[in-house]
Amino acid sequence: MAAQRRNLMQSQHQSWTDDLPLCQMCGVGTAPNCVYGPDGKGTQSHPNEDGHLRFRGDDGCFLYGVFNGYDGSRVANFASQCLTAELLLGQLNSGHTDNDVRRILTQAFDVVEKSYFETIDDALAEKANLSNYLLPHNENVPFHQLSPQTQKVMERLKELEQEVSGGATVAVALILNNKLYIANVGTNRVLLCKSSSDGQNQVLQIGRPHSTDNEDELQRLAALGLDSARIRQAGQIAGQSSSRRLGDYRVKFNYNEIDVLSAAKSKPVVAEPEIHGGQSLEGVTGFLLLMSEGLINALESAHGPEQANQEIVAMVAAELAQQTSLEAVAQSVVDRVKRLHHDVFVSGRQRATYCSRHEDMTLLIRTLNYPLADAALTPTQGGRICPVSVPYSNSQSTSKTSVTLSLVMPSQSTLTNGTNTASTLEEGTPTPGSQSPTATLQSTNTQTQSSSSSSGDGSLFRQRGSQAAQPDETGRVPPYVDFSQFYRLWGSDHGDGQSMQGGLGPQ
């Protein structure tokens, strides 16, 4: 009877979410996990375990989420359905205060966790019963030497283990009353790119991942009686880098049997979200990014962690300037990260050893008054021109990791380095610029930051005549894009003292 009730609950959650309208102001891009062979060809090692949601509720409410599943997609799928049902079926309304919203978000995560474990109660009970059937001496006996009955029991135990195993990390963004709230459990990442009052674009990482190198999380675990130095050194907790997660019955109910967690006074790995917000989005121009751990890890593996946030924002800005669909923007960025990761592996360079594989990747983009490219206009007719991100990798130095040149010249907006540490959503409301944000040439290291803005007069582009240029005697036409300014800025920014005549760029 209990199983029928839980199955009914799950089917109801599915039908409820199916009836909710999707938000049309966001796009999602995905890529499955991949393991590279010696020839550079990739193969998928397991089914895609990520999930996402993007719904528009009543009363001006929007809900977005990215779910990074592991050991199966069961928890990610359940959480995406149940969390939606716990938040968008009348629980939230425009009369709620910030404290009300934070409380409702926290309660929703708690309900999702408990509801999931209810769905596997019967399987856990059967697993415990069958485990008692097996005799201890059977553990070291080859499978083919076991009795037929024992073999069936072991096969069933394997099926049950697959059914109840797994967990998920979650990053959720809620917009209500034109305010943004972020709820995070685990190691996914949330970035907000917005225009500040002085006309610059600011990149903010909202919150820090709940991982074994997060000082706040290590202090929380130490207060439970655990050896935080040992946990940091291990780098993982029961096979995962996250110290907070949904599901995973092994670390939730059997943590005393896990060596590194055995001394805990109470449950050390929890599903309680860290919540930031709400911040007013009134007048904000920019975009919100929700990324699964697999996406950000793939980019950091290829180029290092120093400028990963700035690189992903530059890629999104470039695709927004070129694409006419948010879905195409998100997918293009994911595909680009996938190519970068693969290219580093096959290059054999220093970071190739970090790029032998990548996990499932998911990127959700929600624009905030940010226009897409107008495909009907060409650059010379006033259309937006795609920014070009030029990743820079130097095996001798990690202080300068990326160069981004914007070929969009109508605005003087610049992309500045935002916080890469724990941050709450600021209450200040930025003043939107007259043009959408664009990335400009910059070089940033972990201690200092500098930004060199390209000229806004469009001098990088030589005007074409009314007639198409004619080929010269070599069969080539004169270039209509002049990169000399780029090479000059690049050279001076990297302190190599070279000009165009010094050997950088075409002669």
Side-chain angles (χ1 to χ4, degrees), residues 229-289:
R230 184 183 177 192
I231 293 175
R232 183 199 294 273
Q233 183 178 11
Q236 290 186 334
I237 299 177
Q240 298 295 322
S241 62
S242 59
S243 56
R244 301 193 192 195
R245 54 188 93 158
L246 287 176
D248 204 336
Y249 82 95
R250 293 173 299 175
V251 298
K252 298 295 177 64
F253 299 122
N254 301 323
Y255 62 87
N256 288 325
E257 300 176 4
I258 301 173
D259 185 32
V260 72
L261 303 178
S262 59
K265 301 173 184 176
S266 61
K267 187 184 297 183
V269 178
V270 297
E272 180 182 355
E274 181 179 357
I275 299 176
H276 300 268
Q279 181 194 10
S280 174
L281 297 177
E282 189 69 33
V284 172
T285 298
F287 45 84
L288 179 71
L289 306 180

Side-chain angles (χ1 to χ4, degrees), residues 36-49:
Y36 303 125
D39 59 356
K41 294 183 179 179
T43 58
Q44 188 172 341
S45 61
H46 58 76
N48 197 327
E49 298 168 334

Side-chain angles (χ1 to χ4, degrees), residues 42-298:
T43 58
Q44 188 172 341
S45 61
H46 58 76
N48 197 327
E49 298 168 334
D50 279 4
H52 67 272
L53 59 87
R54 43 172 173 173
F55 291 115
R56 173 173 57 85
D58 297 328
D59 211 4
C61 183
F62 299 87
L63 182 66
Y64 312 96
V66 166
F67 302 80
N68 178 37
Y70 59 90
D71 293 339
S73 58
R74 179 184 176 91
V75 179
N77 292 338
F78 180 89
S80 64
Q81 297 169 21
C82 188
L83 194 60
T84 303
E86 291 299 324
L87 292 173
L88 293 186
L89 298 181
Q91 297 90 336
L92 293 164
N93 61 65
S94 58
H96 282 133
T97 64
D98 288 349
N99 287 334
D100 292 333
V101 174
R102 287 191 283 266
R103 173 179 51 81
I104 292 171
L105 282 169
T106 302
Q107 290 176 347
F109 275 78
D110 184 58
V111 169
V112 170
E113 173 94 329
K114 291 178 179 177
S115 297
Y116 168 72
F117 284 130
E118 285 183 6
T119 66
I120 64 173
D121 272 349
D122 293 343
L124 289 174
E126 183 182 356
K127 183 174 180 290
N129 184 52
L130 292 176
S131 296
N132 292 332
Y133 171 83
L134 295 177
L135 297 176
H137 67 266
N138 286 333
E139 295 179 358
N140 298 321
V141 178
F143 183 81
H144 68 275
Q145 295 182 10
L146 297 172
S147 66
Q149 183 64 27
T150 302
Q151 289 181 357
K152 290 182 179 179
V153 170
M154 295 190 70
E155 289 174 351
R156 178 57 181 159
L157 279 172
K158 185 177 180 180
E159 293 175 356
L160 290 170
E161 181 63 27
Q162 292 177 344
E163 182 178 338
V164 301
S165 292
T169 58
V170 183
V172 166
L174 172 72
I175 298 178
L176 180 67
N177 293 333
N178 212 20
K179 286 185 176 182
L180 174 65
Y181 304 84
I182 301 297
N184 182 53
V185 170
T187 49
N188 299 317
R189 186 171 296 186
V190 179
L191 299 180
L192 178 64
C193 178
K194 62 177 182 177
S195 295
S196 60
S197 58
D198 59 359
Q200 294 184 329
N201 295 328
Q202 195 173 36
V203 182
L204 300 176
Q205 178 176 327
I206 303 175
R208 293 187 60 192
H210 303 128
S211 62
T212 55
D213 59 359
N214 183 324
E215 290 295 338
D216 292 336
E217 284 296 283
L218 291 174
Q219 290 180 16
R220 179 181 69 82
L221 295 174
L224 299 177
L226 298 179
D227 186 343
S228 60
R230 184 183 177 192
I231 293 175
R232 183 199 294 273
Q233 183 178 11
Q236 290 186 334
I237 299 177
Q240 298 295 322
S241 62
S242 59
S243 56
R244 301 193 192 195
R245 54 188 93 158
L246 287 176
D248 204 336
Y249 82 95
R250 293 173 299 175
V251 298
K252 298 295 177 64
F253 299 122
N254 301 323
Y255 62 87
N256 288 325
E257 300 176 4
I258 301 173
D259 185 32
V260 72
L261 303 178
S262 59
K265 301 173 184 176
S266 61
K267 187 184 297 183
V269 178
V270 297
E272 180 182 355
E274 181 179 357
I275 299 176
H276 300 268
Q279 181 194 10
S280 174
L281 297 177
E282 189 69 33
V284 172
T285 298
F287 45 84
L288 179 71
L289 306 180
L290 275 65
M291 297 172 283
S292 68
E293 181 184 6
L295 177 71
I296 202 67
N297 282 353

Side-chain angles (χ1 to χ4, degrees), residues 20-47:
L20 290 170
L22 294 176
C23 174
Q24 302 301 318
M25 291 182 286
C26 78
V28 178
T30 63
N33 58 90
C34 185
V35 179
Y36 303 125
D39 59 356
K41 294 183 179 179
T43 58
Q44 188 172 341
S45 61
H46 58 76

